[in-house]
Amino acid sequence: MALAGCSASGSAQGANSSAEGAHGGEVNLVLPDLSAVTVMGGASGRLLLILGLGVCVLGLGFGLLAYLDLRRMPVHPSMREISELIYSTCKTYLVQQGKFLLVLWGFIASIILLYYGVLVGLAWGKVAVVIAFSLIGMAGSYSVAWFGIRVNTFANSRTAFAALGGRPLPVHRIPMRSGMSIGMVLISLELFAMLVILLFLPPDIAGACFIGFAIGESLGAAALRIAGGIFTKIADIGSDLMKIAFKIKEDDARNPGVIADCTGDNAGDSVGPSADGFETYGVTGVALVTFILLGVGDPAVQASLLVWLFVVRAVMVVASAVSYLVNDWWTRARYASAARMDFERPLSNLVWLTSVVSVLATYATTYVVLRDLDTTGSWWRLATIISLGTVAGALIPELVKAFTSTRSKHVREVVKSSRQGGASLNILSGLVAGNFAAFWLGIAIIGLMGGAYLISLTGLDGLMVAPAVFAFGLVAFGFLSLGPVTIAVDSYGPVTDNAQSVYELSVIEEIDGIDGELEREYGVTAQWDTAKQMLEENDGAGNTFKATAKPVLIGTAVVGATTMIFSIIMALTDGLTTGLENLSMLHPPFLLGLVTGGAVIFWFTGASIQAVTTGAYRAVEFIKGTIRLDGVTRASAEDSRRVVEICTQYAQKGMLTMFLGLFFATLAFAFVEPYFFIGYLISIAVFGLYQANFMANAGGAWDNAKKIVEVDLHAKGTALHDATIVGDTVGDPYKDTSSVALNPVIKFTTLFGLLAVELAVSLEAQGRHTLVLWLAGIFFLAMCFFVHRSFYGMRIQTSLEDDDEATVTPPSSNGTGDAQAPRATQDDVVAAGSGATPPEPALSAEDRELIETRTGEGR
């Protein structure tokens, strides 16, 4: 209230410029006549965009064919049963999330209704269209998430079954095909919806519909990302800690937490990224469309840039599909008869091939569409700026691999530290990796934005105001040129992770006469040891490439947010003509806004980890009390579903608290003072960039350090393995909850903030300054309530005296209460230090540096 009062004159200046009913922002945006654009000797721009709709239909068909192909692949009934159980629990989770989303959407719809219907005075029919497109945007995020889990749960059992043949190529191709299916459907569906708005809605309502659509996307992505991230890490931690408590193997079928873990892999690593990718692609496009309509004065230039933007997006879909087919052909030719393969190599090849093809396609398309735009050669400047982002889409994954790959020296440092220092030095080394990664990724993004800025100085100011802001948006757009492939390599991870689990949970090795059945029914001579080793190695590759997609998405959010913030500045300054002095550190509210954003980022990080911690505590408590290790081969379906219920309960509770905290924070800070809010938006983008990159890469390093111990060193069950498990459980909420959720949080806050600040300015313009002050105070108190609840409402409700170490002992299945020894496994023999000597693994000289043989420890 004090800030708003002391800066009332500054706010009123922006408000007065809107007082004549021109409420600024997107409601006044009118699309130019796209038919006036001609290319290639007379083809209209509208015709090119209609052809783009055809490309979207082909992309959807590509994904559907891959889906049907996966469904027809052979799979043993024992494995299909597990994958369908995982899918059924995922369906239950998604249905609950869908109902929850509709409740959250009600908050957003009310703001849209109030702003457009009451304050702006838009016709109620048009308001209904805007609200409908916000619902369509949310439904789009939700539907691609559902499609993703269905495809992945087909692929996980097929991958596990394919491993039995002992050849690595099918083990790679199946998750790659499922990922590409998701990527093509996701990008094609999103682009199709935006083209429909562009081509078929009245030009005077399309701008508001773009914003409504983007807000709906962001709402869906934020909710699904936050809840999915909490769910998956509750389940993952609860399952992993049993390996330490009871010395059981990875994905032991007797552990009721494993099914929840598999469900979480899809809820967090498939549902979340799918919804996030859908939203990222859409919001970046909406930001660029808004800039073109606000920052470019000539309607003919506006039309040319809009046509160019969407034609390039359609061409990128084709480039990704072609690159995938070429890479798949080359991979099959190279590894058709191979007994071993580097699972990371084909994924890296695909990313780089798509980058090269996309750059060439960008220059060719830009030349064809924009060569007559002006006489200064702007076409090559714009193509070069996009290409900077496209190259970054391949370069940033390479930087990430330097900190998270199983071959990374940072990751191997984590393992070496764990050898002597246990979990303590494991965690410290992971923090080092995360901090270095945040530095180098930050420098890389700064370099890209700096290069775009320099290019924007060479003549683009003749076409638009603030060309550097447009250049930043185009860099983000270039990040997404590899959209289908980025989603594909990200979706590769949950399939490979689930494939391992499906293999173990199916207990296929223990089925009577299984070798003969596989020979007779499927023509497969089972290679049991080889199959397990390949699934482990492929999971390591999946971990690495899950990590590579995170900085691409967060980088896009941050770089693209600058373009959307520009839209708010344009509305507040009456087209950069008044109030520019308020965008300065000499304007105290702006400076205070810069400081405030960091506080919200750190609150959100703590709140999301708190939800995981409490949920994992309850999951571990339940699993320890119900797990049966004697006389059973797998946990009961009832116990497994109960763990899923615990995960869902805390995921939804945590997500609701955090979302409402963000919702009211956005309203409160937008109502405090508009330039304070601009500083706040800049701050959450900058703080979010480094916090997300630090946490994502630290978590990735801890994850693959454990994978090195399990796969390369064959040291499961040792003290070294226990140390890396602890590090991995610390990294789980870092990389898959807090860091990944910051991406949709930044975009949702910016997009919803666009409406919130216009709402506040409109009220000011109507002379309701006192009302704005009271609303700012009420919203701030509501935010504080939910911030308080995010800890005190989520904390572990157990006194210190209630803890009982005896709960570590699992009850026996015969009801006597006496613990029985679990089934002996190779991991258990290694851990027990018995006289049995496990097979000596073949270690490279570098691997031998990582361990030190001790009495009772395996190598």
Side-chain angles (χ1 to χ4, degrees):
M1 286 185 180
L3 285 170
C6 73
S7 58
S9 59
S11 302
Q13 187 177 24
N16 290 336
S17 68
S18 302
E20 299 177 359
H23 290 267
E26 74 294 334
V27 72
N28 290 323
L29 299 181
V30 179
L31 294 179
D33 182 8
L34 303 178
S35 301
V37 179
T38 57
V39 297
M40 296 183 295
S44 74
R46 190 175 184 85
L47 175 61
L48 288 180
L49 296 179
I50 290 174
L51 292 176
L53 287 174
V55 170
C56 294
V57 172
L58 291 175
L60 292 170
F62 183 101
L64 180 60
L65 288 175
Y67 164 85
L68 294 174
D69 189 35
L70 286 167
R71 188 175 183 176
R72 289 191 296 264
M73 285 183 176
V75 59
H76 192 268
S78 64
M79 293 180 169
R80 183 192 296 113
E81 177 187 354
I82 298 301
S83 64
E84 290 304 305
L85 175 59
I86 294 169
Y87 177 61
S88 69
T89 56
C90 287
K91 280 199 303 183
T92 302
Y93 167 77
L94 271 181
V95 168
Q96 291 176 311
Q97 287 300 96
K99 295 175 182 177
F100 215 45
L101 275 174
L102 288 174
V103 174
L104 298 179
W105 175 78
F107 287 92
I108 304 302
S110 64
I111 298 297
I112 294 175
L113 184 66
L114 176 62
Y115 176 63
Y116 286 125
V118 178
L119 293 177
V120 175
L122 206 62
W124 289 109
K126 292 183 177 180
V127 175
V129 173
V130 174
I131 291 178
F133 270 95
S134 72
L135 187 58
I136 290 171
M138 188 180 73
S141 291
Y142 184 74
S143 62
V144 296
W146 195 297
F147 179 79
I149 65 165
R150 179 66 278 189
V151 169
N152 283 351
T153 48
F154 277 146
N156 58 20
S157 55
R158 276 68 177 175
T159 302
F161 183 76
L164 295 177
R167 295 292 181 184
L169 182 60
V171 177
H172 160 77
R173 291 188 71 215
I174 294 173
M176 188 71 256
R177 189 176 307 172
S178 68
M180 200 65 193
S181 172
I182 297 169
M184 291 297 289
V185 167
L186 184 153
I187 301 300
S188 299
L189 182 62
E190 199 285 329
L191 181 56
F192 186 90
M194 293 193 69
L195 284 172
V196 167
I197 297 175
L198 193 67
L199 288 170
F200 301 118
L201 289 187
D204 60 340
I205 192 65
C209 288
F210 271 127
I211 298 297
F213 179 72
I215 289 175
E217 289 180 300
S218 289
L219 170 62
L224 292 171
R225 255 301 196 191
I226 295 170
I230 296 170
F231 184 109
T232 184
K233 294 304 106 178
I234 291 173
D236 198 357
I237 293 172
S239 179
D240 278 354
L241 289 179
M242 296 306 103
K243 292 185 289 186
I244 297 177
F246 301 127
K247 294 299 181 182
I248 57 177
K249 64 182 179 180
E250 182 95 12
D251 299 320
D252 195 301
R254 299 166 297 173
N255 182 354
V258 175
I259 288 293
D261 188 15
C262 294
T263 303
D265 288 338
N266 289 282
D269 296 337
S270 179
V271 170
S274 296
D276 193 0
F278 186 84
E279 174 243 10
T280 298
Y281 204 77
V283 170
T284 304
V286 168
L288 288 169
V289 169
T290 306
F291 177 93
I292 290 170
L293 297 179
L294 288 173
V296 177
D298 187 346
V301 177
Q302 287 181 353
S304 295
L305 291 175
L306 286 174
V307 170
W308 164 69
L309 199 65
F310 282 90
V311 170
V312 168
R313 297 182 84 169
V315 169
M316 292 303 101
V317 174
V318 176
S320 295
V322 170
S323 299
Y324 164 73
L325 293 173
V326 170
N327 187 70
D328 184 59
W329 169 82
W330 170 251
T331 303
R332 282 185 288 128
R334 183 175 181 183
Y335 297 106
S337 58
R340 295 289 301 273
M341 70 180 287
D342 177 358
F343 288 106
E344 288 188 14
R345 176 52 52 193
L347 297 171
S348 296
N349 290 344
L350 175 60
V351 171
W352 279 105
L353 176 61
T354 309
S355 180
V356 172
V357 172
S358 296
V359 167
L360 296 176
T362 297
Y363 275 98
T365 304
T366 305
Y367 175 76
V368 170
V369 177
L370 295 183
R371 60 181 173 179
D372 297 328
L373 181 63
D374 63 4
T375 58
T376 62
S378 295
W379 73 268
W380 68 263
R381 294 180 176 87
L382 295 173
T384 301
I385 293 171
I386 286 183
S387 297
L388 286 174
T390 304
V391 171
L395 178 62
I396 286 179
E398 293 300 320
L399 283 174
V400 172
K401 285 195 289 184
F403 298 96
T404 62
S405 171
T406 52
R407 295 178 181 81
S408 160
K409 291 184 178 180
H410 280 279
V411 176
R412 290 178 173 268
E413 179 78 4
V414 174
V415 180
K416 293 176 185 179
S417 298
S418 307
R419 183 186 65 193
Q420 296 293 346
S424 297
L425 293 188
N426 173 284
I427 292 171
L428 290 175
S429 291
L431 294 175
V432 170
N435 281 290
F436 271 93
F439 170 80
W440 286 113
L441 287 168
I443 292 297
I445 291 174
I446 291 167
L448 293 165
M449 295 178 72
Y453 165 66
L454 293 176
I455 295 173
S456 73
L457 297 176
T458 63
L460 293 182
D461 56 338
L463 297 177
M464 63 193 72
V465 299
V469 175
F470 187 58
F472 295 155
L474 289 181
V475 170
F477 179 81
F479 271 75
L480 299 174
S481 294
L482 282 65
V485 168
T486 299
I487 298 299
V489 298
D490 189 33
S491 298
Y492 190 93
V495 174
T496 59
D497 197 349
N498 264 196
Q500 255 192 298
S501 301
V502 167
Y503 182 97
E504 296 289 352
L505 291 170
S506 69
V507 292
I508 190 172
E509 294 180 60
E510 300 178 19
I511 298 175
D512 290 336
I514 186 61
D515 291 282
E517 180 186 347
L518 293 174
E519 287 272 11
R520 183 174 60 256
E521 300 292 337
Y522 302 98
V524 173
T525 301
Q527 307 290 323
W528 302 109
D529 293 335
T530 302
K532 287 187 282 189
Q533 180 72 11
M534 284 194 304
L535 291 173
E536 289 265 20
E537 292 173 358
N538 204 21
D539 186 32
N543 287 341
T544 299
F545 277 85
K546 278 192 298 185
T548 64
K550 294 179 177 71
V552 172
L553 293 176
I554 188 63
T556 303
V558 172
V559 177
T562 60
T563 309
M564 188 58 71
I565 294 170
F566 173 79
S567 302
I568 301 175
I569 293 173
M570 286 287 286
L572 291 175
T573 60
D574 198 15
L576 302 182
T577 59
T578 62
L580 293 179
E581 67 277 4
N582 293 326
L583 296 171
S584 164
M585 292 180 66
L586 299 179
H587 183 58
F590 178 77
L591 176 59
L592 291 172
L594 290 174
V595 178
T596 304
V600 171
I601 291 295
F602 279 86
W603 156 69
F604 181 85
T605 300
S608 55
I609 295 178
Q610 177 64 49
V612 172
T613 302
T614 305
Y617 179 93
R618 292 304 178 196
V620 168
E621 182 180 52
F622 175 81
I623 295 169
K624 282 182 177 180
T626 58
I627 191 171
R628 301 292 191 272
L629 299 179
D630 63 304
V632 296
T633 58
R634 65 175 61 174
S636 71
E638 180 183 351
D639 287 346
S640 296
R641 290 185 187 279
R642 177 57 187 145
V643 179
V644 172
E645 289 174 7
I646 292 172
C647 297
T648 303
Q649 172 190 350
Y650 283 93
Q652 291 190 335
K653 186 177 179 182
M655 184 266 286
L656 179 62
T657 304
M658 287 182 282
F659 176 83
L660 290 177
L662 289 168
F663 177 84
F664 286 110
T666 304
L667 288 172
F669 297 144
F671 274 61
V672 162
E673 205 267 355
Y675 295 98
F676 173 94
F677 188 62
I678 291 174
Y680 167 73
L681 292 179
I682 294 170
S683 180
I684 64 167
V686 174
F687 274 92
L689 171 68
Y690 289 101
Q691 180 79 328
N693 279 327
F694 155 67
M695 299 185 83
N697 287 282
W702 283 315
D703 195 357
N704 268 344
K706 178 171 72 78
K707 190 60 61 177
I708 288 176
V709 172
E710 293 172 344
V711 178
D712 295 350
L713 305 183
H714 301 271
K716 290 183 181 180
T718 64
L720 175 61
H721 188 218
D722 288 352
T724 58
I725 290 173
V726 172
D728 183 39
T729 56
V730 173
D732 278 337
Y734 266 49
K735 65 183 174 66
D736 290 325
T737 305
S738 300
S739 66
V740 293
L742 289 174
N743 174 34
V745 162
I746 291 169
K747 286 178 289 189
F748 172 78
T749 302
T750 306
L751 277 165
F752 180 56
L754 179 61
L755 284 185
V757 77
E758 288 177 3
L759 177 61
V761 169
S762 297
L763 289 171
E764 287 276 5
Q766 296 176 12
R768 301 179 180 179
H769 179 65
T770 302
L771 175 62
V772 171
L773 290 180
W774 276 106
L775 288 174
I778 291 169
F779 292 145
F780 182 76
L781 290 175
M783 179 202 75
C784 291
F785 172 78
F786 287 109
V787 168
H788 181 273
R789 291 289 298 168
S790 67
F791 174 70
Y792 291 99
M794 293 295 296
R795 62 183 176 176
I796 299 169
Q797 299 293 334
T798 304
S799 68
L800 294 178
E801 290 76 13
D802 291 336
D803 292 336
D804 184 0
E805 289 298 325
T807 57
V808 173
T809 304
S812 70
S813 57
N814 58 22
T816 63
D818 298 325
Q820 302 292 324
R823 289 183 304 158
T825 66
Q826 181 177 349
D827 294 340
D828 298 331
V829 171
V830 172
S834 66
T837 304
E840 179 76 12
L843 298 178
S844 65
E846 188 173 13
D847 286 342
R848 288 185 181 277
E849 291 183 49
L850 301 178
I851 61 171
E852 179 177 292
T853 305
R854 297 178 183 275
T855 302
E857 286 197 22
R859 303 192 66 165

